[in-house]
């Protein structure tokens, strides 16, 4: 099994511990704060699914919003919450069943930086680039953190992609982002 598949499998299984990488992030597209809880709520011991109501549903909805999937925290697991849980599961390479079991619950409380919803590539500037550069510096070393995705950052992205057996294109799409921000040596 390749290292990439191992990382994804471990992440999906909920076994990969992720440490906080950055302070609270604001993302221009949604203006929602990614504020991960400093103390994760323990799994309630039962699945949370479509049709459920109550405080556990409200916690799921709040964590979805904190993971940049805005969800009304009304405590009712309706159609929109179901869609948002499936979207979250998709972004985190989990089984897209819309059911919040232990793996989805724990992943909702991870502090890894969620994918911003768009590719980041040469010519881009800003907070996402800073975050990518900080992670690349920690993983492959010798990266200037200046918020400008130039040729040197692109080269480091390609180096990381090659190391992780990803498509080597120098573009940080969803797959590269997820592997980069969930990678531990």
């Amino acid at each position: 099994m390749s290292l990439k598949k191992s990382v994804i499998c471990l992440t999906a299984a909920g076994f990969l511990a992720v440490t906080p990488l950055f302070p609270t992030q604001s993302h221009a597209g949604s203006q929602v704060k990614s504020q991960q809880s400093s103390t994760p709520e323990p799994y309630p011991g039962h699945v949370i699914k479509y049709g459920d109501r109550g405080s556990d549903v409200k916690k799921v909805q709040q964590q979805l919003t904190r993971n940049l999937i805005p969800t009304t925290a009304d405590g009712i697991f309706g159609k929109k919450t179901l869609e948002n849980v499936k979207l979250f599961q998709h972004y985190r390479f989990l089984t897209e069943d819309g059911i919040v079991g232990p793996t989805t619950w724990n992943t909702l409380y991870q502090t890894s930086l969620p994918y911003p919803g768009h590719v980041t590539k040469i010519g881009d500037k800003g907070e996402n680039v800073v975050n990518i550069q900080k992670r690349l510096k920690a993983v492959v070393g010798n990266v200037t953190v200046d918020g400008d995705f130039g040729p040197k950052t692109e080269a480091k992205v390609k180096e990381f992609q090659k190391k992780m057996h990803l498509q080597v294109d120098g573009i940080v799409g969803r797959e590269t982002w997820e592997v980069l921000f969930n990678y531990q040596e």
Side-chain angles (χ1 to χ4, degrees):
M1 183 181 299
S2 74
L3 183 56
K4 173 186 145 197
K5 288 180 183 174
S6 297
V7 168
I8 292 170
C9 290
L10 289 173
T11 301
F15 294 117
L16 189 61
V18 180
T19 57
L21 299 173
F22 306 105
T24 300
Q25 305 294 322
S26 64
H27 296 270
S30 64
Q31 296 300 315
V32 175
K33 298 284 184 185
S34 173
Q35 300 169 342
Q36 299 298 328
S37 175
S38 58
T39 342
E41 286 283 327
Y43 178 66
H46 58 87
V47 297
I48 302 155
K49 62 190 181 324
Y50 182 78
D52 287 349
R53 293 173 177 258
S55 61
D56 290 336
V57 173
K58 192 170 186 174
K59 289 174 188 174
V60 167
Q61 293 167 327
Q62 290 168 336
Q63 286 306 114
L64 285 168
T65 298
R66 287 184 179 113
N67 279 278
L68 302 181
I69 302 175
T71 307
T72 302
D74 60 5
I76 302 168
F77 200 127
K79 184 178 178 184
K80 188 63 179 171
T81 300
L82 176 65
E83 291 171 6
N84 288 349
V85 168
K86 287 181 179 180
L87 182 62
F88 174 78
Q89 290 169 328
H90 176 76
Y91 285 152
R92 295 300 182 94
F93 299 102
L94 302 172
T95 302
E96 297 172 42
D97 58 7
I99 297 171
V100 180
T103 301
T104 299
W105 179 275
N106 291 330
T107 305
L108 279 165
Y109 282 93
Q110 284 182 347
T111 55
S112 176
L113 199 59
Y115 179 63
H118 57 82
V119 300
T120 306
K121 62 189 181 321
I122 197 160
D124 288 345
K125 298 177 189 292
E127 185 177 7
N128 286 332
V129 177
V130 167
N131 293 336
I132 290 166
Q133 290 171 330
K134 286 179 180 178
R135 266 314 273 159
L136 286 170
K137 187 173 186 171
V139 174
V140 293
N142 197 22
V143 176
T144 302
V145 180
D146 60 5
D148 185 4
F149 199 121
K152 291 179 182 178
T153 300
E154 181 184 48
K156 288 298 182 176
V157 169
K158 287 180 179 180
E159 182 181 331
F160 176 76
Q161 289 170 328
K162 184 177 179 181
K163 176 180 179 177
M164 300 306 295
H165 307 285
L166 298 167
Q167 179 181 347
V168 180
D169 58 8
I171 297 170
V172 182
R174 183 172 56 88
E175 186 176 25
T176 297
W177 181 283
E178 291 293 338
V179 174
L180 180 63
F181 286 94
N182 288 298
Y183 174 76
Q184 288 188 337
E185 287 194 82

